[in-house]
Amino acid sequence: MVQLLRLLASGYPLTVTQPPTTTVTFDGAPVTLEQVCQLSRRQASSQLGSGEFQQRIDRGAQFLERLLAREGVIYGVTTGYGDSCTTAIPEPLTGQLSEKIFTFHGCGLGAHFDAQSTRAILAARLTSLCRGYSGVRYELLQQLHRLLDEDLLPLIPQEGSVGASGDLTPLSYVAAALAGQRQLRQGEHIREASDVFAERHITPLTLRPKEGLAVMNGTAVMTGLACLAFDRANYLVSLGTRITALASLAIQGNTYHFDEVLFSVKPHPGSQLAARRLRDDLQTSDAPSHEARLQDRYSLRCAPHVLGVLSDTLSQLRSFVEVELNSANDNPIIDGDNERVLHGGHFYGGHIGQAMDSLKIATASVADLLDRQLAQLVDVKFNHGLPANLSGSDGPGACLNHGFKAVQIGASSWTAEALKLTMPATSFSRSTECHNQDKVSMGTTAARDALRVLELTEQVAAAGLLASCQAVELRLARDGRDIHSLPPALRDTLLAVREDSAHVNEDRALEPELRQLLSRIRQQHWSLYADPSE
C-alpha cells in the first residue's frame, strides 16, 4: 500500500499486468497494432517462427556473405554510412562496421522510454526484420525476440532521431543491447547489459556486416509509439463520449441534439457512432425535460462532431500505421531469393509522421471539448441551477469551500498545453548529415508529441469525469432522485468512479484521486461500450 501511494504521488502511470491470453507469432505474417499493444502491456506472449521461415531469413544473410566474398559494393557493408557511402571499407575491416555504427550513434539524450514504449519498439523492429528483406541472420532475430520475451529492455533515450534515415540513434541502443552492451531495464532496475547477459547465460551477439544497419536503419521507434498512441486515442473516444453523456445529463441538456435522423443527413461514421452511443447512454426515448434548452452550447451540441473527427481520423490512419509496421523499412533491401541488393529510402517515416500530426490535432480538440464542458458545469451562469464550482458543502462552512474551481483551472492549463503542441512536427524537416539527409520526416518527434497530447488530454478527461460525476449527484439531490433513477450505463460509470473517489462535500486535495483515475484510464480499466463499432 505504501508503494502504491508513492507511485500515485509521483504520477507514475501504473500498469497492471494480466496473464497473457494470446500468443503473437513473428514469422513474417502481418502483425496488428493491437497485438503490438498487447505485447507492450505483457498481455500477450510471443514466439518466433521456424522451419521455412528460418530458411527464408537465412537465405538473405547467406546471399550477403557470398556477395561480400566476391567483393561486391554494398552500402553499409563495404562502404561507410550516409554521406560516407563513397568511402570504401577494406574486406578485413567490414566485420567491425556494425559495431562502429551503433557505437558512434550512442549519443541520445532526454528522458528514457518507459517499459511499455520499449516493448512496442522491440515488437515493431522484430516485425519488420521478420519480413526477410534485411539480410540479418535468424540468430539475430532469436536474440531480439529473447529481449522482448524475457522483458530485458534496452534503455533508450527519447531524443535524437529526425525520422530519416530512420530512428538511427534510439535504435542504436537496441543494436548495442544485442551485443551485450550499454544498459537494460530489468524490472524496476537499470543494469549493465553485460551483467544481465552473464547471469542469464546469454551470449552477446557479434553483429555481421549489414546487421547493425538493419537494426538501426528503420522506423521502429516512431511506429511502436504510433501503435500505443492509436490505442490510447481509440479508448479516449469512448471515454469522451461517456463524459459528454454525464455532463449532458447533469446540465439538463437537450438529448435530441443526438437524434438518429439528424445524423443520417450528415453521415460521418465517427459522428454517427458518438451520437448513437449518447442516445443509448442517455436513453433518449424518454421525453426531454421541459426545462431543456432549445439549443445547447456547442461543447454539448457539437460533441458528436468533435469526437467523430478523432474516431474517423483513427479509421483513416490505421493503414498508415499497420503498413509501416509490416514493412521492410531499412536500406538497402536484401532480396535473397532473387539475389538483388536494392538501394532506396524505405527508412523515411513520412506516413507515421503525418498520422501522428493528424492524430494529435484531433486529440487536442477533444481536450478542448471536455474542458469547455467542465467550464459550463462549474459556472452558475450556465449549469442550470447546480452549486457554484460544483461544491457539495451546504453547512455553515459552505462559504469556505470552492469545490472544483482549481480542477477547472488545471484542466484549462492542460488543454492549452495540448493545443500548443498541435504544431505539425513534419513541417520542420531539417537538412542534416552533410546534406545527405536533406529531407527528413520528423516522424519520431510527431509520435512523441502525439503521446504527450494524449497524456494531457487524459488528464483533462480525468478531471471531466470526476467533475461530471459530482455534477450528476448534485443534480439527483436537487431533483430528489437517487442513483437508481439513472440510465444503466451512466449509473455503472458513476459507481465505478466512486470506488476510487468519494463525493466532494468538504474541500480536499484531489491530486491522489485524479492520479488514480488517470491510472484507470491508461489501463483502459472500464469497459465503456461492448463493441468499438456500436
Side-chain angles (χ1 to χ4, degrees):
M1 179 60 70
V2 172
Q3 184 182 21
L4 173 63
L5 292 174
R6 285 176 179 169
L7 288 170
L8 289 174
S10 69
Y12 186 83
L14 299 179
T15 300
V16 176
T17 303
Q18 303 294 333
T21 56
T22 60
T23 300
V24 178
T25 301
F26 292 98
D27 60 0
V31 172
T32 67
L33 63 87
E34 284 83 6
Q35 288 176 314
V36 170
C37 293
Q38 288 176 327
L39 289 167
S40 76
R41 292 190 290 262
R42 302 290 281 175
Q43 292 172 347
S45 59
S46 62
Q47 61 185 12
L48 191 63
S50 56
E52 170 54 31
F53 168 71
Q54 178 178 349
Q55 296 170 19
R56 180 163 57 85
I57 291 297
D58 281 336
R59 281 198 294 272
Q62 292 161 2
F63 162 58
L64 274 182
E65 295 288 347
R66 293 194 299 273
L67 192 58
L68 181 60
R70 298 199 301 265
E71 297 185 0
V73 178
I74 312 169
Y75 169 72
V77 178
T78 60
T79 75
Y81 299 113
D83 185 62
S84 302
C85 64
T86 57
T87 302
I89 307 298
E91 194 278 333
L93 299 179
T94 56
Q96 302 177 36
L97 199 56
S98 279
E99 181 165 358
K100 286 292 186 182
I101 189 174
F102 73 66
T103 297
F104 78 79
H105 272 287
C107 57
L109 290 176
H112 294 97
F113 287 114
D114 63 18
Q116 186 172 346
S117 298
T118 305
R119 295 185 197 112
I121 291 166
L122 294 182
R125 199 73 210 110
L126 192 55
T127 300
S128 177
L129 294 177
C130 284
R131 298 297 296 168
Y133 294 101
S134 298
V136 303
R137 294 165 294 164
Y138 184 75
E139 184 181 359
L140 184 144
L141 300 183
Q142 288 178 303
Q143 189 89 316
L144 183 56
H145 177 257
R146 186 169 186 179
L147 294 181
L148 178 64
D149 186 53
E150 298 186 18
D151 212 30
L152 305 176
L153 306 176
L155 197 63
I156 306 175
Q158 294 187 18
E159 299 171 10
S161 173
V162 293
S165 182
D167 291 313
L168 288 169
T169 289
L171 287 177
S172 76
Y173 291 79
V174 176
L178 298 175
Q181 298 185 33
R182 298 188 194 162
Q183 293 180 307
L184 297 175
R185 187 190 304 274
Q186 187 181 24
E188 297 181 1
H189 304 286
I190 305 299
R191 303 188 59 200
E192 294 299 321
S194 56
D195 294 338
V196 175
F197 275 33
E199 286 180 8
R200 299 284 185 110
H201 304 291
I202 301 173
T203 302
L205 199 64
T206 300
L207 301 185
R208 294 291 297 151
K210 174 62 168 71
E211 288 185 335
L213 184 63
V215 173
M216 294 166 54
N217 188 210
T219 60
V221 174
M222 68 181 81
T223 303
L225 299 183
C227 291
L228 299 181
F230 190 103
D231 184 66
R232 287 169 71 171
N234 197 44
Y235 187 74
L236 193 58
V237 173
S238 296
L239 182 60
T241 306
R242 181 58 51 81
I243 293 170
T244 297
L246 289 163
S248 179
L249 186 146
I251 214 166
Q252 295 184 322
N254 186 342
T255 58
Y256 281 76
H257 292 322
F258 315 129
D259 183 83
E260 183 176 5
V261 174
L262 177 65
F263 277 85
S264 71
V265 300
K266 189 173 182 178
H268 291 294
S271 299
Q272 290 183 314
L273 173 62
R276 182 166 67 250
R277 286 173 167 177
L278 288 166
R279 290 195 301 273
D280 292 343
D281 281 355
L282 292 164
Q283 294 190 334
T284 57
S285 58
D286 296 337
S289 168
H290 68 278
E291 298 177 345
R293 283 172 57 93
L294 180 62
Q295 291 194 152
D296 288 329
R297 291 171 180 84
Y298 286 11
S299 61
L300 289 179
R301 197 189 337 160
C302 300
H305 306 81
V306 177
L307 293 161
V309 169
L310 178 54
S311 182
D312 288 336
T313 295
L314 289 168
S315 296
Q316 294 166 8
L317 296 179
R318 173 182 284 274
S319 66
F320 277 36
V321 178
E322 289 193 331
V323 168
E324 191 71 36
L325 173 65
N326 290 287
S327 68
N329 47 50
D330 57 309
N331 176 60
I333 295 300
I334 307 301
D335 181 0
D337 290 338
N338 297 301
E339 297 195 344
R340 299 181 68 198
V341 177
L342 306 170
H343 295 87
H346 285 356
F347 47 69
Y348 191 85
H351 281 79
I352 295 295
Q354 182 66 37
M356 292 298 97
D357 275 348
S358 299
L359 179 62
K360 71 187 184 185
I361 291 169
T363 299
S365 183
V366 171
D368 198 26
L369 176 81
L370 300 178
D371 175 55
R372 293 300 84 208
Q373 291 176 1
L374 177 52
Q376 281 196 62
L377 289 174
V378 300
D379 194 331
V380 294
K381 296 188 294 297
F382 309 113
N383 66 15
H384 215 153
L386 296 178
N389 300 305
L390 302 179
S391 175
S393 177
D394 58 2
C399 60
L400 299 175
N401 285 274
H402 293 78
F404 282 74
K405 180 187 286 286
V407 172
Q408 193 274 320
I409 295 171
S412 187
S413 168
W414 306 323
T415 299
E417 185 174 347
L419 294 169
K420 177 180 71 69
L421 290 173
T422 58
M423 177 70 75
T426 50
S427 296
F428 289 87
S429 174
R430 309 293 299 162
S431 182
T432 187
E433 205 256 309
C434 303
H435 296 294
N436 175 54
Q437 298 179 24
D438 60 347
K439 174 61 178 170
V440 296
S441 75
M442 302 306 297
T444 308
T445 302
R448 288 173 44 233
D449 280 353
L451 285 171
R452 176 58 179 158
V453 169
L454 279 158
E455 182 179 58
L456 291 161
T457 305
E458 288 163 349
Q459 292 175 192
V460 178
L465 180 60
L466 197 58
S468 60
C469 286
Q470 175 91 356
V472 166
E473 288 175 328
L474 292 170
R475 178 64 64 193
L476 290 175
R478 182 180 183 275
D479 294 349
R481 296 186 290 139
D482 64 23
I483 192 171
H484 299 292
S485 66
L486 293 176
L490 303 189
R491 180 191 64 229
D492 291 347
T493 296
L494 178 55
L495 290 173
V497 169
R498 287 295 172 244
E499 291 177 3
D500 296 314
S501 177
H503 185 82
V504 180
N505 291 313
E506 295 295 311
D507 286 355
R508 63 179 184 265
L510 291 173
E511 178 192 350
E513 293 159 62
L514 287 167
R515 289 192 184 278
Q516 175 68 353
L517 289 180
L518 267 178
S519 173
R520 299 293 196 197
I521 292 168
R522 289 168 184 163
Q523 294 167 21
Q524 301 183 11
H525 178 75
W526 304 296
S527 180
L528 298 168
Y529 299 97
D531 181 72
S533 65
E534 294 182 355

